[in-house]
Amino acid sequence: MDAGSAQRNANRSRVVHALRQRGAMSRSDLAEIGLSRSTVASVVAELLDAGTVVEVADAPRNGRVVTGRPPTLVGLHGGLGATVGVEIANGTVRAAVCNVAQELLVHDAVTVDDRIGPAETLRLTGELIDRLLGRTSFRREQVIGVGIAMPGPIQRRTGLNGRATTLKPWVSVNPHALATEILGLPVLVGNDANLAALAELTLGVARGLRDYAYVYTANGIGAGFVLDGALYVGANGTAGEIGHTTINEDGLVCECGGRGCLNTLANADAITQHLWQSHPGKPSIAEVIRLAHDGDAGCRRVLADAGRHIGVAMANMYNLLDPELIVLGGNLAPAGSILIDPLRESMARRAIHAGEAIPPVVAGALDGEVVVVVGAAAAVLRDSAGFPLGAGTVA
Ligand SMILES: [Zn+2]
Protein backbone atom coordinates (compact mmCIF):
# COMPACT_ATOMS: atom_id res chain seq x y z
CA MET A 1 0.00 0.00 0.00
CA ASP A 2 1.46 3.39 -0.98
CA ALA A 3 1.52 6.39 1.37
CA GLY A 4 -1.44 8.05 -0.38
CA SER A 5 -3.77 5.09 -0.04
CA ALA A 6 -2.64 4.51 3.57
CA GLN A 7 -3.63 8.14 4.29
CA ARG A 8 -7.00 7.66 2.55
CA ASN A 9 -7.66 4.52 4.63
CA ALA A 10 -6.76 6.40 7.81
CA ASN A 11 -9.13 9.26 6.87
CA ARG A 12 -11.96 6.80 6.13
CA SER A 13 -11.40 5.12 9.50
CA ARG A 14 -11.54 8.49 11.27
CA VAL A 15 -14.86 9.36 9.65
CA VAL A 16 -16.35 5.93 10.41
CA HIS A 17 -15.07 6.16 14.00
CA ALA A 18 -16.73 9.58 14.45
CA LEU A 19 -20.03 8.27 13.06
CA ARG A 20 -19.86 5.31 15.45
CA GLN A 21 -19.27 7.66 18.37
CA ARG A 22 -21.80 10.34 17.60
CA GLY A 23 -24.34 8.89 15.20
CA ALA A 24 -25.24 10.65 11.94
CA MET A 25 -23.36 13.94 11.41
CA SER A 26 -23.34 16.77 8.91
CA ARG A 27 -20.30 17.20 6.64
CA SER A 28 -19.41 20.45 8.44
CA ASP A 29 -19.49 18.68 11.85
CA LEU A 30 -17.26 15.96 10.35
CA ALA A 31 -14.75 18.67 9.36
CA GLU A 32 -14.40 19.46 13.08
CA ILE A 33 -12.76 16.08 13.74
CA GLY A 34 -9.62 17.51 12.17
CA LEU A 35 -10.04 16.88 8.43
CA SER A 36 -10.33 19.62 5.84
CA ARG A 37 -13.72 20.18 4.22
CA SER A 38 -12.43 18.92 0.88
CA THR A 39 -11.03 15.75 2.49
CA VAL A 40 -14.38 15.17 4.25
CA ALA A 41 -16.19 15.64 0.91
CA SER A 42 -14.00 13.11 -0.91
CA VAL A 43 -13.97 10.56 1.97
CA VAL A 44 -17.78 10.76 2.29
CA ALA A 45 -18.14 10.34 -1.47
CA GLU A 46 -15.96 7.19 -1.35
CA LEU A 47 -17.90 5.81 1.63
CA LEU A 48 -21.22 6.54 -0.14
CA ASP A 49 -19.96 4.69 -3.23
CA ALA A 50 -18.87 1.74 -1.10
CA GLY A 51 -22.28 1.63 0.63
CA THR A 52 -20.68 2.16 4.05
CA VAL A 53 -22.63 5.36 4.70
CA VAL A 54 -25.95 6.80 3.53
CA GLU A 55 -27.41 10.30 3.58
CA VAL A 56 -30.16 10.85 6.16
CA ALA A 57 -32.41 13.73 7.17
CA ASP A 58 -31.34 15.94 10.08
CA ALA A 59 -32.17 14.71 13.60
CA PRO A 60 -33.52 17.07 16.31
CA ARG A 61 -30.71 18.38 18.49
CA ASN A 62 -31.48 19.07 22.08
CA GLY A 63 -34.35 21.45 21.32
CA ARG A 64 -32.06 23.97 19.61
CA VAL A 65 -33.71 26.15 17.01
CA VAL A 66 -32.44 25.33 13.53
CA THR A 67 -32.43 28.33 11.24
CA GLY A 68 -32.47 27.85 7.50
CA ARG A 69 -32.58 24.54 5.74
CA PRO A 70 -31.32 21.72 7.99
CA PRO A 71 -28.18 20.05 6.63
CA THR A 72 -28.29 16.56 5.22
CA LEU A 73 -26.50 14.20 7.58
CA VAL A 74 -24.25 11.28 6.82
CA GLY A 75 -24.72 8.10 8.84
CA LEU A 76 -23.53 4.50 8.77
CA HIS A 77 -25.51 2.11 6.57
CA GLY A 78 -27.79 0.10 8.85
CA GLY A 79 -27.12 -3.14 6.97
CA LEU A 80 -23.42 -3.24 7.95
CA GLY A 81 -24.03 -5.08 11.18
CA ALA A 82 -26.00 -5.41 14.38
CA THR A 83 -25.36 -4.51 17.99
CA VAL A 84 -27.13 -6.13 20.91
CA GLY A 85 -27.97 -4.41 24.18
CA VAL A 86 -28.89 -6.40 27.31
CA GLU A 87 -30.12 -5.20 30.70
CA ILE A 88 -29.86 -7.68 33.54
CA ALA A 89 -32.04 -6.42 36.37
CA ASN A 90 -33.81 -7.89 39.39
CA GLY A 91 -36.28 -10.45 38.08
CA THR A 92 -35.94 -9.61 34.37
CA VAL A 93 -33.57 -9.66 31.45
CA ARG A 94 -34.30 -7.33 28.54
CA ALA A 95 -32.49 -7.44 25.22
CA ALA A 96 -32.60 -5.37 22.05
CA VAL A 97 -31.12 -5.73 18.59
CA CYS A 98 -30.08 -2.48 16.88
CA ASN A 99 -28.33 -1.91 13.58
CA VAL A 100 -25.16 0.18 13.28
CA ALA A 101 -27.31 3.14 12.18
CA GLN A 102 -28.52 3.05 15.82
CA GLU A 103 -32.04 2.00 14.87
CA LEU A 104 -33.78 -0.15 17.47
CA LEU A 105 -35.09 -3.12 15.51
CA VAL A 106 -36.60 -5.44 18.12
CA HIS A 107 -36.60 -5.80 21.88
CA ASP A 108 -38.19 -8.06 24.44
CA ALA A 109 -37.84 -9.12 28.06
CA VAL A 110 -38.02 -12.41 29.94
CA THR A 111 -38.76 -12.96 33.59
CA VAL A 112 -35.99 -14.70 35.48
CA ASP A 113 -35.88 -16.01 39.02
CA ASP A 114 -33.03 -14.17 40.77
CA ARG A 115 -32.08 -17.41 42.57
CA ILE A 116 -31.06 -19.26 39.37
CA GLY A 117 -27.66 -17.58 39.43
CA PRO A 118 -25.50 -15.80 36.83
CA ALA A 119 -24.71 -18.74 34.51
CA GLU A 120 -28.32 -19.81 34.03
CA THR A 121 -29.40 -16.16 33.65
CA LEU A 122 -26.86 -15.73 30.86
CA ARG A 123 -27.97 -18.96 29.18
CA LEU A 124 -31.55 -17.60 29.08
CA THR A 125 -30.12 -14.29 27.80
CA GLY A 126 -28.46 -16.13 24.91
CA GLU A 127 -31.77 -17.78 23.99
CA LEU A 128 -33.50 -14.39 24.10
CA ILE A 129 -30.84 -12.85 21.81
CA ASP A 130 -31.20 -15.71 19.30
CA ARG A 131 -35.01 -15.35 19.30
CA LEU A 132 -34.70 -11.60 18.69
CA LEU A 133 -32.12 -12.03 15.91
CA GLY A 134 -34.56 -14.46 14.27
CA ARG A 135 -37.01 -11.55 13.94
CA THR A 136 -34.42 -9.44 12.04
CA SER A 137 -32.46 -9.98 8.82
CA PHE A 138 -29.20 -10.29 10.82
CA ARG A 139 -27.39 -13.54 11.54
CA ARG A 140 -25.38 -14.15 14.72
CA GLU A 141 -22.10 -13.66 12.77
CA GLN A 142 -23.20 -10.12 11.90
CA VAL A 143 -23.43 -9.09 15.57
CA ILE A 144 -20.39 -6.89 16.23
CA GLY A 145 -20.86 -7.07 20.00
CA VAL A 146 -23.18 -7.39 22.97
CA GLY A 147 -23.35 -4.62 25.58
CA ILE A 148 -24.55 -5.85 28.97
CA ALA A 149 -25.86 -3.41 31.56
CA MET A 150 -26.05 -4.29 35.23
CA PRO A 151 -27.06 -2.36 38.34
CA GLY A 152 -24.32 -1.44 40.78
CA PRO A 153 -20.67 -0.75 40.13
CA ILE A 154 -18.40 -2.99 38.05
CA GLN A 155 -14.93 -2.86 39.62
CA ARG A 156 -12.68 -1.25 37.05
CA ARG A 157 -9.49 -3.15 37.90
CA THR A 158 -10.91 -6.67 38.38
CA GLY A 159 -14.11 -6.53 36.30
CA LEU A 160 -16.04 -8.03 39.23
CA ASN A 161 -19.48 -6.89 40.36
CA GLY A 162 -19.13 -4.81 43.52
CA ARG A 163 -21.06 -5.60 46.68
CA ALA A 164 -23.30 -2.54 46.44
CA THR A 165 -25.46 -4.17 43.76
CA THR A 166 -29.10 -5.11 44.06
CA LEU A 167 -28.26 -8.38 42.22
CA LYS A 168 -26.84 -10.31 45.15
CA PRO A 169 -26.02 -13.60 43.32
CA TRP A 170 -23.68 -11.57 41.06
CA VAL A 171 -21.48 -10.12 43.83
CA SER A 172 -17.80 -10.97 43.06
CA VAL A 173 -18.72 -12.56 39.71
CA ASN A 174 -16.81 -11.43 36.60
CA PRO A 175 -19.75 -10.87 34.22
CA HIS A 176 -17.52 -10.15 31.20
CA ALA A 177 -15.69 -13.48 31.38
CA LEU A 178 -18.84 -15.49 32.08
CA ALA A 179 -20.94 -13.78 29.40
CA THR A 180 -18.21 -14.11 26.75
CA GLU A 181 -18.04 -17.85 27.43
CA ILE A 182 -21.80 -18.50 27.58
CA LEU A 183 -22.99 -16.16 24.80
CA GLY A 184 -20.08 -16.92 22.44
CA LEU A 185 -20.09 -13.29 21.22
CA PRO A 186 -17.79 -10.31 21.94
CA VAL A 187 -19.06 -8.68 25.13
CA LEU A 188 -18.82 -5.34 26.93
CA VAL A 189 -20.20 -4.86 30.47
CA GLY A 190 -21.21 -1.58 32.07
CA ASN A 191 -23.32 -0.02 34.76
CA ASP A 192 -26.99 0.54 33.81
CA ALA A 193 -27.03 4.28 34.62
CA ASN A 194 -23.78 4.88 32.71
CA LEU A 195 -25.12 3.10 29.63
CA ALA A 196 -28.48 4.92 29.84
CA ALA A 197 -26.44 8.16 29.92
CA LEU A 198 -24.82 7.12 26.63
CA ALA A 199 -28.26 6.48 25.08
CA GLU A 200 -29.46 10.03 25.83
CA LEU A 201 -26.09 11.40 24.67
CA THR A 202 -26.23 9.58 21.33
CA LEU A 203 -29.95 9.66 20.55
CA GLY A 204 -31.84 11.68 23.14
CA VAL A 205 -32.04 15.04 24.88
CA ALA A 206 -28.29 15.26 25.61
CA ARG A 207 -27.21 14.90 21.97
CA GLY A 208 -24.16 17.02 21.26
CA LEU A 209 -23.49 18.01 24.90
CA ARG A 210 -19.98 17.82 26.43
CA ASP A 211 -20.88 17.81 30.15
CA TYR A 212 -24.10 16.36 31.44
CA ALA A 213 -25.44 14.05 34.15
CA TYR A 214 -28.05 11.34 33.83
CA VAL A 215 -29.91 10.02 36.87
CA TYR A 216 -31.43 6.59 36.37
CA THR A 217 -34.16 5.41 38.72
CA ALA A 218 -34.73 1.66 38.97
CA ASN A 219 -34.54 -0.60 42.03
CA GLY A 220 -31.74 1.70 43.08
CA ILE A 221 -30.87 5.19 41.89
CA GLY A 222 -27.66 5.64 39.90
CA ALA A 223 -26.07 8.41 37.89
CA GLY A 224 -24.01 8.43 34.71
CA PHE A 225 -21.64 11.31 34.02
CA VAL A 226 -20.49 12.50 30.63
CA LEU A 227 -17.55 14.82 31.23
CA ASP A 228 -15.79 16.52 28.35
CA GLY A 229 -17.65 14.28 25.91
CA ALA A 230 -16.68 10.94 27.50
CA LEU A 231 -18.32 8.67 30.03
CA TYR A 232 -16.65 9.07 33.45
CA VAL A 233 -16.69 5.88 35.57
CA GLY A 234 -14.04 6.83 38.16
CA ALA A 235 -10.83 5.13 39.27
CA ASN A 236 -12.66 2.09 40.68
CA GLY A 237 -15.82 2.13 38.58
CA THR A 238 -18.08 3.44 41.36
CA ALA A 239 -18.59 7.00 40.08
CA GLY A 240 -22.22 8.00 40.00
CA GLU A 241 -23.53 5.90 42.90
CA ILE A 242 -25.81 8.76 43.84
CA GLY A 243 -28.26 6.31 45.44
CA HIS A 244 -25.69 5.71 48.18
CA THR A 245 -25.11 9.35 49.04
CA THR A 246 -26.18 10.14 52.60
CA ILE A 247 -29.40 12.10 52.99
CA ASN A 248 -30.11 11.21 56.65
CA GLU A 249 -27.21 10.12 58.91
CA ASP A 250 -29.67 8.45 61.31
CA GLY A 251 -31.88 6.89 58.66
CA LEU A 252 -32.60 3.27 57.71
CA VAL A 253 -29.67 0.95 57.06
CA CYS A 254 -29.04 0.57 53.32
CA GLU A 255 -27.96 -2.63 51.53
CA CYS A 256 -24.49 -1.01 51.17
CA GLY A 257 -24.15 -0.92 54.96
CA GLY A 258 -24.54 2.85 55.19
CA ARG A 259 -27.43 4.67 56.83
CA GLY A 260 -29.98 7.00 55.28
CA CYS A 261 -28.73 6.63 51.71
CA LEU A 262 -30.90 8.20 48.99
CA ASN A 263 -32.00 4.67 47.99
CA THR A 264 -33.57 4.13 51.44
CA LEU A 265 -35.73 7.23 50.92
CA ALA A 266 -36.51 7.49 47.22
CA ASN A 267 -36.22 4.20 45.35
CA ALA A 268 -39.38 2.39 44.26
CA ASP A 269 -39.56 0.20 47.41
CA ALA A 270 -39.03 3.17 49.71
CA ILE A 271 -41.81 5.11 47.97
CA THR A 272 -44.36 2.30 47.87
CA GLN A 273 -43.83 1.19 51.48
CA HIS A 274 -45.19 4.52 52.75
CA LEU A 275 -48.55 3.52 51.24
CA TRP A 276 -49.06 0.18 52.97
CA GLN A 277 -51.73 1.50 55.38
CA SER A 278 -53.55 3.83 53.00
CA HIS A 279 -53.34 1.70 49.84
CA PRO A 280 -53.71 -2.02 50.70
CA GLY A 281 -52.28 -4.53 48.25
CA LYS A 282 -48.89 -2.79 47.85
CA PRO A 283 -49.26 -0.97 44.51
CA SER A 284 -46.27 -1.09 42.16
CA ILE A 285 -44.40 2.12 41.41
CA ALA A 286 -46.07 2.28 37.98
CA GLU A 287 -49.50 2.05 39.68
CA VAL A 288 -48.52 4.73 42.22
CA ILE A 289 -47.56 7.05 39.35
CA ARG A 290 -50.80 6.32 37.49
CA LEU A 291 -52.88 6.99 40.65
CA ALA A 292 -50.94 10.21 41.24
CA HIS A 293 -51.76 11.43 37.72
CA ASP A 294 -55.42 10.60 38.47
CA GLY A 295 -55.25 12.93 41.48
CA ASP A 296 -54.63 10.49 44.37
CA ALA A 297 -53.32 12.80 47.13
CA GLY A 298 -51.31 10.13 48.99
CA CYS A 299 -49.53 8.96 45.85
CA ARG A 300 -48.80 12.56 44.83
CA ARG A 301 -47.37 13.23 48.28
CA VAL A 302 -44.96 10.25 48.34
CA LEU A 303 -43.70 11.06 44.83
CA ALA A 304 -43.19 14.73 45.76
CA ASP A 305 -41.27 13.68 48.90
CA ALA A 306 -39.07 11.37 46.79
CA GLY A 307 -38.47 14.27 44.38
CA ARG A 308 -37.34 16.50 47.26
CA HIS A 309 -34.88 13.84 48.48
CA ILE A 310 -33.50 13.31 44.96
CA GLY A 311 -33.19 17.11 44.67
CA VAL A 312 -30.88 17.17 47.71
CA ALA A 313 -28.59 14.55 46.16
CA MET A 314 -28.76 16.25 42.75
CA ALA A 315 -27.77 19.63 44.26
CA ASN A 316 -24.71 18.00 45.84
CA MET A 317 -23.85 16.36 42.53
CA TYR A 318 -24.38 19.62 40.65
CA ASN A 319 -22.17 21.57 43.06
CA LEU A 320 -19.33 19.10 42.46
CA LEU A 321 -19.62 18.60 38.69
CA ASP A 322 -21.35 21.65 37.20
CA PRO A 323 -23.16 19.79 34.36
CA GLU A 324 -24.92 21.62 31.54
CA LEU A 325 -28.04 19.48 31.86
CA ILE A 326 -29.42 16.85 34.24
CA VAL A 327 -31.64 14.18 32.72
CA LEU A 328 -33.94 12.02 34.84
CA GLY A 329 -34.83 8.62 33.44
CA GLY A 330 -36.06 5.21 34.55
CA ASN A 331 -39.14 4.17 36.48
CA LEU A 332 -39.76 7.51 38.26
CA ALA A 333 -39.52 9.66 35.10
CA PRO A 334 -43.19 9.03 34.07
CA ALA A 335 -44.23 10.90 37.27
CA GLY A 336 -43.25 14.08 35.37
CA SER A 337 -43.93 17.38 37.12
CA ILE A 338 -45.45 15.67 40.20
CA LEU A 339 -41.91 14.58 41.08
CA ILE A 340 -39.72 16.94 39.05
CA ASP A 341 -41.23 20.26 40.31
CA PRO A 342 -40.50 19.53 44.01
CA LEU A 343 -37.13 18.08 42.92
CA ARG A 344 -36.19 21.33 41.15
CA GLU A 345 -37.35 23.42 44.12
CA SER A 346 -35.31 21.30 46.55
CA MET A 347 -32.29 21.44 44.28
CA ALA A 348 -32.52 25.20 43.72
CA ARG A 349 -32.34 25.81 47.48
CA ARG A 350 -29.01 23.97 47.70
CA ALA A 351 -27.24 24.45 44.39
CA ILE A 352 -24.50 27.03 43.91
CA HIS A 353 -25.51 29.79 41.52
CA ALA A 354 -22.61 31.18 39.51
CA GLY A 355 -24.66 34.18 38.46
CA GLU A 356 -26.74 32.01 36.19
CA ALA A 357 -29.66 29.68 36.64
CA ILE A 358 -28.89 26.13 37.75
CA PRO A 359 -29.05 23.66 34.85
CA PRO A 360 -32.39 22.35 33.68
CA VAL A 361 -33.59 19.00 35.01
CA VAL A 362 -35.58 17.26 32.29
CA ALA A 363 -37.09 13.84 31.73
CA GLY A 364 -35.18 11.66 29.25
CA ALA A 365 -36.38 11.47 25.65
CA LEU A 366 -35.98 7.71 25.37
CA ASP A 367 -38.63 5.30 26.61
CA GLY A 368 -37.64 4.16 30.12
CA GLU A 369 -38.22 0.55 29.12
CA VAL A 370 -35.50 0.56 26.46
CA VAL A 371 -33.11 3.38 27.40
CA VAL A 372 -30.59 1.04 29.05
CA VAL A 373 -30.53 -1.59 26.29
CA VAL A 374 -30.24 1.11 23.61
CA GLY A 375 -27.34 2.63 25.58
CA ALA A 376 -25.67 -0.77 25.95
CA ALA A 377 -25.87 -1.27 22.17
CA ALA A 378 -24.55 2.28 21.62
CA ALA A 379 -21.58 1.52 23.89
CA VAL A 380 -20.58 -1.37 21.61
CA LEU A 381 -20.78 0.89 18.58
CA ARG A 382 -18.71 3.62 20.26
CA ASP A 383 -15.85 1.19 20.94
CA SER A 384 -14.29 0.95 17.46
CA ALA A 385 -11.13 -0.71 18.79
CA GLY A 386 -12.92 -3.41 20.78
CA PHE A 387 -15.65 -4.17 18.26
CA PRO A 388 -14.49 -3.72 14.67
CA LEU A 389 -17.00 -3.77 11.84
CA GLY A 390 -16.80 -6.83 9.61
CA ALA A 391 -13.78 -7.12 7.28
CA GLY A 392 -14.14 -5.18 4.06
CA THR A 393 -16.93 -2.88 5.24
CA VAL A 394 -14.69 0.13 5.95
CA ALA A 395 -11.90 -0.03 3.39
ZN1 LIG B 1 -26.35 2.80 50.47
Side-chain angles (χ1 to χ4, degrees), residues 164 243-245 254-264:
H244 296 290
T245 51
C254 175
E255 66 197 358
C256 74
R259 290 191 67 168
C261 294
L262 178 64
N263 279 350
T264 67

Side-chain angles (χ1 to χ4, degrees), residues 12 22 70 114 125 137 171 180 234 236 297 328 393:
R12 280 198 292 267
R22 292 166 55 181
D114 290 333
T125 303
S137 58
V171 173
T180 304
N236 298 300
L328 182 78
T393 51

Side-chain angles (χ1 to χ4, degrees), residues 260-292:
C261 294
L262 178 64
N263 279 350
T264 67
L265 289 158
N267 74 0
D269 280 345
I271 293 169
T272 52
Q273 76 179 10
H274 289 300
L275 297 165
W276 72 271
Q277 279 194 323
S278 58
H279 295 68
K282 200 174 187 287
S284 69
I285 192 66
E287 285 161 346
V288 171
I289 290 170
R290 186 179 52 76
L291 288 167

